[in-house]
Amino acid sequence: HPINGAARPARAVLADRLLAKLSVSAVRGTASELSRACAKAGIRLPASTIRSWIRRGRLQPESDGSLQLSALVPLLQQRAKTGMK
């Protein structure tokens, strides 16, 4: 169906633009706060996933325990490509 074929690349472009915005974001917070920030941006990312990335060493919190939203971008990109949780 041509409509679906045209919509798919448009969604990919929008996703790339959204991740580009997040990559330069100065937002910091807890896993829950960053999960809510992602939800506002249209990205479903449960706080439990962010916490599991910390436990597995994929994400390093700052000395005060906060996380940088921009640090999530490479993990979100990898998750989108591979289905990583």
Side-chain angles (χ1 to χ4, degrees):
H1 196 272
I3 293 173
N4 288 340
R8 198 166 166 82
R11 282 195 300 266
V13 168
L14 289 174
D16 288 345
R17 287 182 188 163
L18 178 57
L19 288 175
K21 281 185 181 181
L22 293 180
S23 70
V24 295
S25 172
V27 173
R28 296 166 55 104
T30 64
S32 295
E33 291 165 342
L34 295 186
S35 175
R36 283 192 294 274
C38 285
K40 287 179 185 176
I43 298 172
R44 184 183 176 280
L45 181 64
S48 60
T49 299
I50 298 170
R51 287 190 289 271
S52 76
W53 287 344
I54 294 168
R55 280 194 305 275
R56 291 192 237 159
R58 294 181 173 272
L59 192 58
Q60 298 298 318
E62 301 293 326
S63 57
D64 63 359
S66 69
L67 300 161
Q68 193 79 22
L69 182 59
S70 60
L72 298 177
V73 172
L75 295 171
L76 288 168
Q77 290 170 326
Q78 185 177 0
R79 180 182 185 219
K81 288 179 186 172
T82 64
M84 175 185 83
K85 293 201 177 210

